[in-house]
Short mmCIF file of all heavy atoms in Angstrom, two decimals:
data_model
loop_
_atom_site.label_atom_id
_atom_site.label_comp_id
_atom_site.label_asym_id
_atom_site.label_seq_id
_atom_site.Cartn_x
_atom_site.Cartn_y
_atom_site.Cartn_z
N THR A 1 25.14 -59.55 62.58
CA THR A 1 25.05 -58.43 63.50
C THR A 1 23.64 -57.86 63.42
O THR A 1 23.08 -57.44 64.51
CB THR A 1 26.03 -57.38 63.15
OG1 THR A 1 27.38 -57.94 63.13
CG2 THR A 1 26.15 -56.24 64.22
N MET A 2 22.96 -57.78 62.31
CA MET A 2 21.63 -57.39 62.19
C MET A 2 20.67 -58.30 62.95
O MET A 2 19.50 -58.01 63.24
CB MET A 2 21.23 -57.22 60.71
CG MET A 2 21.87 -56.08 60.04
SD MET A 2 21.35 -55.93 58.27
CE MET A 2 19.64 -55.56 58.43
N GLY A 3 21.09 -59.59 62.98
CA GLY A 3 20.16 -60.71 63.53
C GLY A 3 19.60 -61.52 62.38
O GLY A 3 18.81 -62.33 62.65
N ALA A 4 19.94 -61.31 61.18
CA ALA A 4 19.43 -62.00 59.97
C ALA A 4 20.22 -63.37 59.80
O ALA A 4 20.99 -63.42 58.82
CB ALA A 4 19.54 -61.12 58.81
N LEU A 5 20.01 -64.25 60.75
CA LEU A 5 20.80 -65.50 60.78
C LEU A 5 20.63 -66.31 59.52
O LEU A 5 21.68 -66.85 58.98
CB LEU A 5 20.50 -66.28 62.01
CG LEU A 5 21.12 -67.66 62.13
CD1 LEU A 5 22.62 -67.52 62.21
CD2 LEU A 5 20.48 -68.41 63.39
N GLY A 6 19.35 -66.44 59.02
CA GLY A 6 19.17 -67.25 57.83
C GLY A 6 19.90 -66.67 56.63
O GLY A 6 20.51 -67.49 55.86
N ARG A 7 19.83 -65.39 56.34
CA ARG A 7 20.46 -64.79 55.27
C ARG A 7 21.95 -64.95 55.39
O ARG A 7 22.72 -65.20 54.38
CB ARG A 7 20.07 -63.30 55.10
CG ARG A 7 18.70 -63.16 54.67
CD ARG A 7 18.39 -61.64 54.78
NE ARG A 7 19.04 -60.85 53.93
CZ ARG A 7 19.19 -59.54 53.87
NH1 ARG A 7 18.48 -58.85 54.78
NH2 ARG A 7 19.86 -58.91 53.00
N ALA A 8 22.43 -64.76 56.61
CA ALA A 8 23.88 -64.96 56.88
C ALA A 8 24.41 -66.46 56.47
O ALA A 8 25.43 -66.56 55.99
CB ALA A 8 24.32 -64.74 58.34
N ARG A 9 23.60 -67.40 56.92
CA ARG A 9 23.96 -68.78 56.61
C ARG A 9 23.98 -68.96 55.13
O ARG A 9 24.87 -69.75 54.58
CB ARG A 9 23.00 -69.64 57.30
CG ARG A 9 23.30 -71.21 57.05
CD ARG A 9 22.20 -72.10 57.62
NE ARG A 9 22.37 -73.44 57.14
CZ ARG A 9 22.08 -73.92 55.97
NH1 ARG A 9 21.46 -73.10 55.05
NH2 ARG A 9 22.24 -75.11 55.60
N GLU A 10 22.96 -68.42 54.33
CA GLU A 10 22.96 -68.57 52.87
C GLU A 10 24.25 -67.99 52.27
O GLU A 10 24.71 -68.53 51.32
CB GLU A 10 21.70 -67.95 52.40
CG GLU A 10 20.42 -68.61 52.77
CD GLU A 10 19.16 -67.88 52.36
OE1 GLU A 10 19.41 -66.80 51.71
OE2 GLU A 10 18.07 -68.26 52.51
N ARG A 11 24.57 -66.82 52.78
CA ARG A 11 25.73 -66.22 52.25
C ARG A 11 27.07 -67.02 52.48
O ARG A 11 27.89 -67.20 51.56
CB ARG A 11 26.01 -64.78 52.85
CG ARG A 11 25.33 -63.67 52.06
CD ARG A 11 25.66 -63.68 50.64
NE ARG A 11 25.24 -62.48 49.90
CZ ARG A 11 25.16 -62.46 48.57
NH1 ARG A 11 25.38 -63.50 47.94
NH2 ARG A 11 24.73 -61.28 48.02
N THR A 12 27.24 -67.59 53.67
CA THR A 12 28.49 -68.38 53.87
C THR A 12 28.42 -69.72 53.10
O THR A 12 29.51 -70.09 52.55
CB THR A 12 28.65 -68.58 55.39
OG1 THR A 12 27.51 -69.19 55.98
CG2 THR A 12 29.10 -67.40 56.16
N LEU A 13 27.26 -70.26 52.96
CA LEU A 13 27.15 -71.43 52.14
C LEU A 13 27.47 -71.18 50.76
O LEU A 13 28.20 -71.96 50.04
CB LEU A 13 25.73 -72.01 52.30
CG LEU A 13 25.41 -73.44 51.77
CD1 LEU A 13 26.24 -74.45 52.52
CD2 LEU A 13 23.96 -73.76 51.83
N GLY A 14 27.01 -70.05 50.15
CA GLY A 14 27.36 -69.66 48.83
C GLY A 14 28.79 -69.36 48.71
O GLY A 14 29.39 -69.68 47.62
N ALA A 15 29.44 -68.74 49.69
CA ALA A 15 30.82 -68.41 49.62
C ALA A 15 31.72 -69.73 49.62
O ALA A 15 32.73 -69.90 48.81
CB ALA A 15 31.31 -67.58 50.82
N LEU A 16 31.22 -70.69 50.40
CA LEU A 16 32.04 -71.95 50.46
C LEU A 16 31.93 -72.77 49.09
O LEU A 16 32.96 -73.31 48.64
CB LEU A 16 31.46 -72.93 51.46
CG LEU A 16 31.87 -72.61 52.96
CD1 LEU A 16 31.13 -73.50 53.90
CD2 LEU A 16 33.34 -72.88 53.06
N ALA A 17 30.80 -72.50 48.43
CA ALA A 17 30.66 -73.24 47.06
C ALA A 17 31.64 -72.73 46.08
O ALA A 17 31.85 -73.34 45.11
CB ALA A 17 29.17 -73.13 46.59
N LEU A 18 32.06 -71.42 46.23
CA LEU A 18 33.04 -70.85 45.29
C LEU A 18 34.46 -71.24 45.47
O LEU A 18 35.24 -71.08 44.63
CB LEU A 18 32.94 -69.26 45.39
CG LEU A 18 31.53 -68.76 45.11
CD1 LEU A 18 31.70 -67.25 45.46
CD2 LEU A 18 31.31 -68.83 43.59
N THR A 19 34.76 -71.72 46.70
CA THR A 19 36.21 -72.12 46.97
C THR A 19 36.63 -73.55 46.54
O THR A 19 35.75 -74.35 46.39
CB THR A 19 36.50 -71.95 48.46
OG1 THR A 19 35.76 -72.98 49.20
CG2 THR A 19 35.93 -70.50 48.97
N ALA A 20 37.85 -73.69 46.43
CA ALA A 20 38.42 -75.00 45.99
C ALA A 20 38.50 -76.04 47.18
O ALA A 20 38.66 -77.17 46.96
CB ALA A 20 39.77 -74.86 45.33
N GLY A 21 38.40 -75.47 48.38
CA GLY A 21 38.40 -76.42 49.60
C GLY A 21 39.78 -76.74 50.00
O GLY A 21 39.97 -77.81 50.53
N ASP A 22 40.81 -75.87 49.63
CA ASP A 22 42.11 -76.12 50.10
C ASP A 22 42.26 -75.94 51.57
O ASP A 22 42.04 -74.84 52.13
CB ASP A 22 43.13 -75.24 49.27
CG ASP A 22 44.55 -75.42 49.73
OD1 ASP A 22 44.80 -76.23 50.57
OD2 ASP A 22 45.37 -74.69 49.19
N GLU A 23 42.56 -77.06 52.37
CA GLU A 23 42.54 -76.86 53.79
C GLU A 23 43.74 -76.01 54.31
O GLU A 23 43.66 -75.52 55.46
CB GLU A 23 42.91 -78.34 54.41
CG GLU A 23 41.67 -79.30 54.10
CD GLU A 23 40.36 -78.86 54.79
OE1 GLU A 23 40.44 -78.36 55.90
OE2 GLU A 23 39.26 -78.99 54.17
N ASP A 24 44.77 -75.77 53.56
CA ASP A 24 45.86 -74.95 53.88
C ASP A 24 45.66 -73.44 53.51
O ASP A 24 46.51 -72.58 53.80
CB ASP A 24 47.17 -75.45 53.33
CG ASP A 24 47.59 -76.75 53.89
OD1 ASP A 24 47.33 -76.97 55.13
OD2 ASP A 24 48.04 -77.62 53.20
N ASP A 25 44.56 -73.05 52.85
CA ASP A 25 44.28 -71.78 52.40
C ASP A 25 43.67 -70.96 53.53
O ASP A 25 42.63 -71.39 54.16
CB ASP A 25 43.37 -71.80 51.14
CG ASP A 25 43.08 -70.40 50.72
OD1 ASP A 25 43.92 -69.74 50.11
OD2 ASP A 25 41.89 -69.94 51.00
N ALA A 26 44.28 -69.86 53.94
CA ALA A 26 43.76 -69.12 55.13
C ALA A 26 42.38 -68.58 54.84
O ALA A 26 41.53 -68.64 55.88
CB ALA A 26 44.73 -67.95 55.26
N GLN A 27 42.05 -68.14 53.67
CA GLN A 27 40.73 -67.63 53.46
C GLN A 27 39.69 -68.70 53.54
O GLN A 27 38.57 -68.42 54.14
CB GLN A 27 40.64 -66.90 51.97
CG GLN A 27 39.18 -66.46 51.77
CD GLN A 27 39.18 -65.64 50.42
OE1 GLN A 27 39.92 -64.73 50.22
NE2 GLN A 27 38.23 -66.07 49.56
N HIS A 28 40.10 -69.86 53.03
CA HIS A 28 39.03 -70.97 53.17
C HIS A 28 38.78 -71.49 54.58
O HIS A 28 37.58 -71.55 54.96
CB HIS A 28 39.61 -72.22 52.42
CG HIS A 28 38.54 -73.29 52.21
ND1 HIS A 28 37.45 -73.25 51.59
CD2 HIS A 28 38.60 -74.58 52.92
CE1 HIS A 28 36.71 -74.26 51.65
NE2 HIS A 28 37.41 -75.16 52.51
N ARG A 29 39.75 -71.25 55.38
CA ARG A 29 39.59 -71.60 56.84
C ARG A 29 38.52 -70.53 57.49
O ARG A 29 37.76 -70.96 58.26
CB ARG A 29 40.81 -71.58 57.56
CG ARG A 29 41.71 -72.79 57.38
CD ARG A 29 42.81 -72.91 58.39
NE ARG A 29 43.83 -71.94 58.17
CZ ARG A 29 44.89 -72.18 57.38
NH1 ARG A 29 45.14 -73.30 56.75
NH2 ARG A 29 45.87 -71.15 57.22
N LEU A 30 38.73 -69.27 57.08
CA LEU A 30 37.89 -68.23 57.58
C LEU A 30 36.39 -68.43 57.20
O LEU A 30 35.50 -68.18 57.93
CB LEU A 30 38.44 -66.82 57.43
CG LEU A 30 39.78 -66.51 57.86
CD1 LEU A 30 40.26 -65.12 57.56
CD2 LEU A 30 39.93 -66.84 59.31
N LEU A 31 36.29 -68.81 55.87
CA LEU A 31 34.98 -69.09 55.37
C LEU A 31 34.25 -70.30 56.10
O LEU A 31 33.17 -70.17 56.48
CB LEU A 31 35.06 -69.51 53.90
CG LEU A 31 35.41 -68.38 52.90
CD1 LEU A 31 35.57 -68.96 51.50
CD2 LEU A 31 34.42 -67.15 52.93
N ARG A 32 35.10 -71.25 56.34
CA ARG A 32 34.54 -72.44 57.11
C ARG A 32 34.14 -72.08 58.61
O ARG A 32 33.10 -72.47 59.02
CB ARG A 32 35.48 -73.61 57.06
CG ARG A 32 35.76 -74.20 55.69
CD ARG A 32 36.90 -75.14 55.78
NE ARG A 32 36.57 -76.34 56.64
CZ ARG A 32 37.47 -77.09 57.32
NH1 ARG A 32 38.75 -76.70 57.23
NH2 ARG A 32 37.12 -78.04 57.99
N LEU A 33 34.95 -71.13 59.19
CA LEU A 33 34.70 -70.77 60.52
C LEU A 33 33.35 -69.93 60.56
O LEU A 33 32.51 -70.24 61.43
CB LEU A 33 35.84 -69.90 60.95
CG LEU A 33 35.61 -69.15 62.36
CD1 LEU A 33 35.19 -70.05 63.39
CD2 LEU A 33 36.85 -68.41 62.77
N ALA A 34 33.27 -69.00 59.58
CA ALA A 34 31.97 -68.27 59.60
C ALA A 34 30.78 -69.09 59.28
O ALA A 34 29.68 -68.91 59.95
CB ALA A 34 32.10 -67.14 58.50
N HIS A 35 30.87 -70.02 58.49
CA HIS A 35 29.70 -70.91 58.21
C HIS A 35 29.41 -71.84 59.35
O HIS A 35 28.22 -72.02 59.69
CB HIS A 35 29.99 -71.70 56.87
CG HIS A 35 28.71 -72.52 56.53
ND1 HIS A 35 27.53 -71.88 56.15
CD2 HIS A 35 28.46 -73.89 56.59
CE1 HIS A 35 26.61 -72.86 55.94
NE2 HIS A 35 27.17 -74.09 56.17
N ALA A 36 30.48 -72.32 60.06
CA ALA A 36 30.27 -73.18 61.14
C ALA A 36 29.55 -72.44 62.25
O ALA A 36 28.66 -73.00 62.97
CB ALA A 36 31.56 -73.70 61.72
N ARG A 37 29.90 -71.19 62.47
CA ARG A 37 29.11 -70.47 63.49
C ARG A 37 27.60 -70.25 63.13
O ARG A 37 26.80 -70.51 63.90
CB ARG A 37 29.78 -68.96 63.58
CG ARG A 37 30.98 -68.90 64.27
CD ARG A 37 31.41 -67.43 64.26
NE ARG A 37 30.49 -66.50 64.96
CZ ARG A 37 30.48 -65.23 64.81
NH1 ARG A 37 31.30 -64.65 64.07
NH2 ARG A 37 29.51 -64.53 65.53
N ASN A 38 27.42 -69.95 61.80
CA ASN A 38 26.04 -69.84 61.34
C ASN A 38 25.31 -71.19 61.46
O ASN A 38 24.05 -71.29 61.93
CB ASN A 38 25.90 -69.31 60.01
CG ASN A 38 26.45 -67.91 59.85
OD1 ASN A 38 26.36 -67.05 60.88
ND2 ASN A 38 26.95 -67.50 58.70
N ALA A 39 25.92 -72.23 61.09
CA ALA A 39 25.31 -73.50 61.13
C ALA A 39 25.05 -73.97 62.54
O ALA A 39 23.97 -74.54 62.83
CB ALA A 39 26.27 -74.59 60.38
N ALA A 40 25.96 -73.74 63.54
CA ALA A 40 25.66 -74.17 64.92
C ALA A 40 24.46 -73.41 65.43
O ALA A 40 23.67 -74.00 66.11
CB ALA A 40 27.00 -73.78 65.64
N GLU A 41 24.38 -72.12 65.11
CA GLU A 41 23.19 -71.40 65.62
C GLU A 41 21.88 -71.85 65.01
O GLU A 41 20.80 -71.65 65.63
CB GLU A 41 23.36 -69.88 65.36
CG GLU A 41 24.60 -69.22 66.06
CD GLU A 41 24.40 -69.20 67.60
OE1 GLU A 41 23.26 -69.19 68.09
OE2 GLU A 41 25.33 -69.16 68.34
N SER A 42 22.00 -72.53 63.84
CA SER A 42 20.85 -72.93 63.06
C SER A 42 20.48 -74.45 63.46
O SER A 42 19.54 -75.02 62.94
CB SER A 42 21.15 -72.86 61.56
OG SER A 42 21.37 -71.46 61.21
N GLY A 43 21.23 -75.00 64.35
CA GLY A 43 20.94 -76.38 64.84
C GLY A 43 21.64 -77.40 64.11
O GLY A 43 21.38 -78.60 64.41
N GLU A 44 22.57 -77.09 63.28
CA GLU A 44 23.38 -78.07 62.55
C GLU A 44 24.64 -78.40 63.34
O GLU A 44 25.76 -78.22 62.98
CB GLU A 44 23.71 -77.61 61.12
CG GLU A 44 22.55 -77.20 60.26
CD GLU A 44 22.96 -76.41 59.06
OE1 GLU A 44 24.02 -76.69 58.49
OE2 GLU A 44 22.14 -75.60 58.61
N PHE A 45 24.39 -79.10 64.44
CA PHE A 45 25.37 -79.21 65.43
C PHE A 45 26.56 -80.03 65.09
O PHE A 45 27.78 -79.78 65.34
CB PHE A 45 24.78 -79.84 66.83
CG PHE A 45 23.80 -78.93 67.38
CD1 PHE A 45 22.48 -79.40 67.80
CD2 PHE A 45 24.12 -77.57 67.72
CE1 PHE A 45 21.63 -78.57 68.43
CE2 PHE A 45 23.14 -76.73 68.28
CZ PHE A 45 21.94 -77.17 68.65
N ALA A 46 26.30 -81.31 64.56
CA ALA A 46 27.37 -82.16 64.25
C ALA A 46 28.32 -81.70 63.18
O ALA A 46 29.60 -81.68 63.37
CB ALA A 46 26.86 -83.58 63.77
N ALA A 47 27.81 -81.19 62.15
CA ALA A 47 28.73 -80.64 61.08
C ALA A 47 29.60 -79.39 61.63
O ALA A 47 30.72 -79.29 61.38
CB ALA A 47 27.94 -80.19 59.87
N ALA A 48 28.87 -78.48 62.41
CA ALA A 48 29.61 -77.37 62.93
C ALA A 48 30.67 -77.80 63.96
O ALA A 48 31.70 -77.21 63.96
CB ALA A 48 28.54 -76.48 63.57
#
């Protein structure tokens, strides 16, 4: 919201590193959604 896209991407990447990656876990899905948004804006199109 501030416009600090690079810092936002670093935070979501760090949050993902903390999770177990359970595809059925609701929180993990929201983490992936937030990071995918940041990644897409940063040009990481395929992964996003």
Side-chain angles (χ1 to χ4, degrees):
T1 305
M2 289 179 69
L5 176 61
R7 291 173 64 193
R9 181 188 170 280
E10 289 174 4
R11 269 308 191 200
T12 50
L13 192 61
L16 281 173
L18 296 171
T19 67
D22 182 358
E23 296 295 324
D24 293 322
D25 179 72
Q27 177 175 307
H28 185 66
R29 283 195 290 269
L30 300 185
L31 291 177
R32 292 173 65 211
L33 171 57
H35 185 65
R37 285 181 57 196
N38 294 335
E41 297 293 335
S42 302
E44 300 168 34
F45 296 128

